[in-house]
Amino acid sequence: GAGVSQTPSNKVTEKGKYVELRCDPISGHTALYWYRQSLGQGPEFLIYFQGTGAADDSGLPNDRFFAVRPEGSVSTLKIQRTERGDSAVYLCASSLMSLAGGGEQFFGPGTRLTVL
Amino acid sequence: AQSVAQPEDQVNVAEGNPLTVKCTYSVSGNPYLFWYVQYPNRGLQFLLKYITGDNLVKGSYGFEAEFNKSQTSFHLKKPSALVSDSALYFCAVRDGRAAGNKLTFGGGTRVLVKP
């Protein structure tokens, strides 16, 4: 079956611009996660959705970052006034159940964001 | 707070030899532990997990890992490495008793299997 998809695969933008990154989770997965992976590091948690609501947004670095999941399926990560330090690979994952039940997360291929 | 340490940036092993990738963790409550593998330009792929039960867990592609509570470790092993196992490996943990669901990842270990 289809896995987690993310678009675009690459995004180059200029400092100060606004970007949107899209994630399409595996059908039927209620939990959706965003992570950020900088070069040479492991993924870092940003935000977790259970259904339509953000259950944990403790990883968002500042108020320039925002994410939505209005219908409980597709999610969009929005970054305002981008900075060069935002350059990273943004990973999306989904799971059939929350990790409270021990379900593993399935990751998409990521969006590589480059801020010039 | 939860954290993961992968003490080796890179592990080199000859094809056919045993492979071990080390992971230690710190978590306040019950550890839920995961191993993922990342190939170039591809997303993370799930290998195996420990939630509860038998300390030795078996996963995909012949990999296994042993949960050791006293040493707070969850080392990944494969009895006979293949060249195709060359990739970046990540260990991750979450607190099974915490309300949140975030995974905390280690910094990754690059495995190079030489023919």
Side-chain angles (χ1 to χ4, degrees):
Chain A
V4 177
S5 62
Q6 294 186 245
T7 55
S9 56
N10 282 282
K11 176 70 177 178
V12 180
T13 190
E14 294 179 343
K15 180 177 179 296
K17 300 291 187 181
Y18 167 84
V19 297
E20 290 189 351
L21 312 179
R22 175 189 168 106
C23 172
D24 204 335
I26 293 172
S27 178
H29 280 193
T30 57
L32 185 146
Y33 313 80
W34 284 99
Y35 293 83
R36 178 168 70 175
Q37 186 175 20
S38 300
L39 191 63
Q41 298 181 20
E44 294 179 304
F45 170 81
L46 295 176
I47 187 170
Y48 152 61
F49 287 89
Q50 185 64 260
T52 60
D56 182 356
D57 63 358
S58 62
L60 295 177
N62 51 60
D63 61 6
R64 295 187 297 106
F65 288 75
F66 189 71
V68 295
R69 196 186 184 199
E71 298 179 355
S73 179
V74 170
S75 177
T76 304
L77 178 66
K78 307 180 180 189
I79 309 174
Q80 298 177 320
R81 305 182 305 278
T82 52
E83 300 178 356
R84 293 191 180 88
D86 298 335
S87 296
V89 175
Y90 288 81
L91 298 171
C92 177
S94 68
S95 66
L96 187 60
M97 63 184 79
S98 75
L99 284 182
E104 61 270 24
Q105 297 178 15
F106 295 86
F107 282 80
T111 294
R112 182 175 299 278
L113 174 66
T114 303
V115 182
L116 301 177
Chain B
Q2 53 197 43
S3 64
V4 174
Q6 293 182 242
E8 301 156 316
D9 289 336
Q10 182 160 322
V11 170
N12 297 319
V13 63
E15 187 175 31
N17 282 2
L19 169 64
T20 298
V21 185
K22 295 179 180 177
C23 170
T24 58
Y25 66 89
S26 174
V27 68
S28 301
N30 295 332
Y32 288 5
L33 294 153
F34 301 80
W35 275 102
Y36 285 84
V37 61
Q38 188 173 41
Y39 296 98
N41 299 316
R42 295 176 64 179
L44 293 163
Q45 295 180 29
F46 170 76
L47 281 178
L48 49 79
K49 66 182 179 183
Y50 171 83
I51 303 299
T52 187
D54 194 350
N55 289 345
L56 183 64
V57 294
K58 295 185 181 296
S60 308
Y61 313 117
F63 284 94
E64 60 188 30
E66 185 166 13
F67 170 63
N68 187 317
K69 186 174 182 178
S70 63
Q71 297 185 6
T72 62
S73 67
F74 190 58
H75 301 330
L76 180 70
K77 299 181 180 182
K78 186 170 183 178
S80 178
L82 301 172
V83 173
S84 58
D85 293 329
S86 298
L88 192 54
Y89 291 80
F90 290 97
C91 180
V93 68
R94 78 162 289 253
D95 186 340
R97 290 193 293 187
N101 286 284
K102 63 183 178 182
L103 284 177
T104 297
F105 286 83
T109 297
R110 187 168 301 281
V111 170
L112 180 60
V113 182
K114 299 179 180 179

